[in-house]
Amino acid sequence: MGGIERVTSASRPLLHLLTVVGARKDAGSSPTGIVGRSLARQLLAAGDRVRVLAEAGQPDGWPDGTEVVEGSVIRPAEHAGVFAGADGVFLAGAVPATVPDALALAREAGVRRIVVLSSHGPEYEEAYPPETWFWLAVERAVERSGMEWTHIRPSAVMGAMIEGTYPATGSDWPDTIRSERTVREAFLDDGCYPFIHEDDLAAVAAAALRTGDHAGAVLEAVGPPIATRARVAAIAEAIGCDIVAVDLPPEAGRARWRRRGWPDGGIDVTLYALQEYGARSAELTRWTLDQRPSVREIIGRPPRGFGEWAAENAHLFR
């Protein structure tokens, strides 16, 4: 395990296809654009080639050397040619209805490896009938595809608030901190939420794409629970200003998130997680540290903390 090996000039660079969709507020959805751009940078730095299938609104901001095709993994038949020549696919944003079509096209094109950006939803979906599955349906389809596979189940991504995707917690902070130097949040005093830096999640994906070390594995790309007040304090330090923190009753928090377009399902999961991680912080931190292989083992360095993320993105809050 450890770091990602560099491709030498004597070997042919691998071509990786990354799929990217627009921001979704559904529970478990990750900011595929932010993670994908970080992954593209890391793969290019390792000497590989990168092609991206990006939905409308996502084609810009990719590093030099990235081949970008505008389209959607949700409608794979419209862009069958994007799979040609790809060694591996970072499958992000797929949906159960069309993922079998995407996988069939990938297999026919000679794709060898599929790395799924999944969720922790499968752990709960197993208790329900298959016709209700979402994340588990995607994972099972990939497992049946005949290609080598790895599933990545991440915790929330620190950069989610940039792209406007799940989780609801923190999603309005850039606006309210810029305009009022204020944060209003449910479970402000006792809440926690687990976060991973997008660069660390991308590094896990790069390791899975570039090596066979994690074939057939479910990788828990999880960060430890971070107290809500600690996140606010980290942003305040990054911008050099005090931030007023207002603790909201849960239903007031729900109403606030609803006004910003969050569905009740995503709000329910956010409120539950803030409370649950706050009440069981020590136990769930221990669970995170006990995962093997750990994020640190996979990427070959310590994971990056929320304070680093806040310092890198201080401009969002000024």
Side-chain angles (χ1 to χ4, degrees):
M1 295 183 188
I4 301 168
E5 79 275 14
R6 178 172 291 276
V7 176
T8 66
S9 59
S11 60
R12 186 182 178 204
L14 299 174
L15 171 63
H16 308 284
L17 174 65
L18 319 182
T19 65
V20 173
V21 298
R24 299 178 186 165
K25 288 181 165 64
D26 306 291
S29 294
S30 294
T32 62
I34 290 171
V35 175
R37 286 172 179 83
S38 179
L39 176 56
R41 289 191 293 271
Q42 295 182 44
L43 293 172
L44 290 166
D48 290 351
R49 298 164 57 208
V50 176
R51 180 184 296 151
V52 177
L53 180 63
E55 283 189 347
Q58 291 285 6
D60 300 325
W62 293 90
D64 292 343
T66 307
E67 177 190 348
V68 182
V69 177
E70 186 167 347
S72 178
V73 68
I74 296 172
R75 301 182 302 279
E78 297 177 8
H79 308 282
V82 298
F83 296 97
D87 176 79
V89 176
F90 179 62
L91 190 66
V95 297
T98 57
V99 72
D101 298 332
L103 294 169
L105 291 169
R107 185 174 56 249
E108 291 166 9
V111 170
R112 187 167 59 96
R113 180 177 294 157
I114 305 289
V115 175
V116 181
L117 182 59
S118 187
S119 165
H120 283 93
E123 300 171 10
Y124 305 98
E125 290 176 341
E126 283 185 306
Y128 296 93
E131 60 269 22
T132 67
W133 294 351
F134 184 94
W135 297 103
L136 190 55
V138 171
E139 288 188 358
R140 292 286 171 84
V142 171
E143 291 165 17
R144 294 191 300 265
S145 70
M147 291 173 283
E148 184 181 296
W149 59 268
T150 304
H151 303 324
I152 300 176
R153 296 180 181 174
S155 53
V157 180
M158 294 178 190
M161 69 175 70
I162 300 174
E163 196 162 312
T165 189
Y166 180 85
T169 177
S171 57
D172 65 346
W173 292 8
D175 294 338
T176 62
I177 292 174
R178 280 196 305 264
S179 62
E180 309 171 54
R181 291 288 184 263
T182 300
V183 160
R184 298 175 182 86
E185 185 89 352
F187 299 114
L188 182 73
D189 291 322
D190 304 313
C192 285
Y193 215 98
F195 283 92
I196 185 170
H197 195 293
E198 50 266 28
D199 289 348
D200 294 339
L201 177 52
V204 170
L209 279 169
R210 302 195 76 245
T211 77
D213 293 348
H214 308 292
V218 175
L219 300 181
E220 300 282 355
V222 290
I226 306 170
T228 305
R229 280 201 177 274
R231 290 160 56 206
V232 176
I235 295 170
E237 181 175 354
I239 64 175
C241 294
D242 291 338
I243 297 174
V244 176
V246 179
D247 189 19
L248 297 179
E251 286 310 306
R254 177 185 295 276
R256 188 177 182 85
W257 288 330
R258 271 181 179 161
R259 288 194 295 270
R260 294 181 63 86
W262 288 92
D264 280 339
I267 294 172
D268 289 342
V269 174
T270 301
L271 289 172
Y272 171 80
L274 282 168
Q275 190 173 26
E276 184 77 356
Y277 276 95
R280 301 170 57 201
S281 179
E283 173 190 347
L284 293 171
T285 298
R286 185 72 260 164
W287 177 87
T288 300
L289 295 174
D290 287 344
Q291 295 308 302
R292 291 294 180 272
S294 66
V295 171
R296 179 173 185 153
E297 289 168 339
I298 295 169
I299 68 178
R301 58 170 173 77
R304 305 177 72 182
F306 193 85
E308 292 178 80
W309 183 90
E312 295 160 2
N313 294 279
H315 61 282
L316 297 176
F317 305 97
R318 291 197 174 108

